[in-house]
Amino acid sequence: MSIILGIESSCDETAAALVTSDREILAHKLAGQEEAHAPFGGVVPEIAARAHAEIITPLIDAALAEADLTLDKVDAIAATAGPGLIGGVMVGLVTGKALAMAADKPLVAVNHLEGHALSPRLANADLDFPYLLLLASGGHCQILRVDGVGQYRRLATTIDDAAGEAFDKTAKILGLGYPGGPKVEALAKTGDAEAVPLPRPLKGSKEPHFSFAGLKSAVVRAHQSGEHRPEDIAAAFQQATVDCLQDRLEKAIGDHGKVRHLVVAGGVAANGPIRAMLERLASEHDMQFTAPPSWLCTDNAAMIAWAGAERFAAGFTDPLDFVARPRWPLDPTAEKARGAGVKA
């Protein structure tokens, strides 16, 4: 059994965790920055990087203390090396490098997306490769076939904006504040999804990808018209997003053949109606549905430690001069999708 220290700082969550190779979470510490970014309605990269630098060392110390461990008892140090806001990524990666050098421990540079992609295996020991993954977060919206550690085939991506970003922008339009996803979902519970006609971009298209920019624009127009209640706009937006995700997943299953498991990961996976749709879809296609608990869907260090554990077990370690990456596709061989705003 190995023990991995995980460090996450790719956006506005600073986190440290200690996870074993047999899936025991020994400690997990997380510091959010919601108050710092709330006045701006979204994450300000410089503010985020400064906050990471201030809290990351005491957070790691607290995680070690909670696990009753010292650094010499850790087998490897895993740190998010991208993709993400480069200032924050650099804070976490440099900290991981310093600890690895000081303690003479291996460094595992983790792709943040791989952390999400493998997180369901931390929560479910029975989840075997391969599986079909919907990876939906604030910065990414993709469908991937996961064949193993480091083995990803991208089947679809967004040609403009991610689903999570659309949730946050809708919340900002409606004056709900940041972070937007949970607030839109809460407001939508009191609304009528049929009261506001909104588009379903690319639904039914032969193209495999997602698009949410047009949906965001439609939300702006609906709000500016003054003809609709905010709760109805929230409900209509949420249902349109559910419909788009379902349509694109059905296309992926039809085009590429189903595998045994349908899996969801990323912050958007915490949304209740989206999870309910995925459960129905899996049942209709005789697939087993797997989703991590909600706290493991949002950015956290346990998933980074677990991805580090999986990579470490497979023999992957990285040099101390590994460079932080603002963009880092899981499938670098995938054809570039159309659209200037593609989140690869």
Side-chain angles (χ1 to χ4, degrees), residues 24-95:
E24 183 180 0
I25 301 174
L26 302 177
H28 185 262
K29 295 294 183 182
L30 184 144
Q33 303 175 9
E34 293 182 11
E35 290 186 8
H37 300 289
F40 306 98
V43 178
V44 180
E46 185 174 343
I47 292 175
R50 289 180 180 179
H52 289 309
E54 290 173 359
I55 194 63
I56 196 163
T57 298
L59 210 62
I60 293 169
D61 290 342
L64 287 167
E66 182 177 303
D68 195 22
L69 290 172
T70 53
L71 200 58
D72 63 297
K73 300 298 183 183
V74 171
D75 293 287
I77 295 169
T80 298
L85 301 177
I86 193 62
V89 171
M90 290 177 66
V91 170
L93 182 58
V94 168
T95 301

Side-chain angles (χ1 to χ4, degrees), residues 160-161 166 198-201 211-221:
D160 41 53
D161 301 318
L198 293 179
R200 272 67 171 163
S211 172
F212 293 99
L215 178 57
K216 288 196 312 181
S217 297
V219 168
V220 171
R221 291 192 295 270

Side-chain angles (χ1 to χ4, degrees), residues 88-233:
V89 171
M90 290 177 66
V91 170
L93 182 58
V94 168
T95 301
K97 288 178 179 181
L99 293 175
M101 179 181 291
D104 193 25
K105 300 294 182 180
L107 173 72
V108 183
V110 174
N111 185 315
H112 179 81
L113 301 181
E114 185 165 40
H116 281 304
L118 296 177
S119 63
R121 285 172 48 81
L122 171 59
N124 182 1
D126 295 326
L127 177 59
D128 295 323
F129 302 117
Y131 51 85
L132 187 68
L133 170 69
L134 171 64
L135 176 53
S137 66
H140 299 84
C141 192
Q142 301 179 358
I143 301 172
L144 302 115
R145 178 184 165 106
V146 181
D147 289 313
V149 178
Q151 301 176 45
Y152 305 96
R153 181 184 174 196
R154 196 202 74 198
L155 308 180
T157 189
T158 178
I159 65 171
D160 41 53
D161 301 318
E165 196 274 343
F167 268 95
D168 286 340
K169 183 57 68 69
T170 295
K172 186 174 183 179
I173 293 166
L174 298 179
L176 303 180
Y178 177 85
K183 295 180 179 180
V184 170
E185 181 179 1
L187 183 62
K189 291 178 180 178
T190 62
D192 178 4
E194 303 296 325
V196 185
L198 293 179
R200 272 67 171 163
L202 293 184
K203 183 178 179 182
S205 170
K206 294 182 180 179
E207 186 175 7
H209 303 304
F210 298 95
S211 172
F212 293 99
L215 178 57
K216 288 196 312 181
S217 297
V219 168
V220 171
R221 291 192 295 270
H223 178 65
Q224 291 178 341
S225 73
E227 299 174 359
H228 306 288
R229 301 186 306 160
E231 54 266 44
D232 292 339
I233 295 175

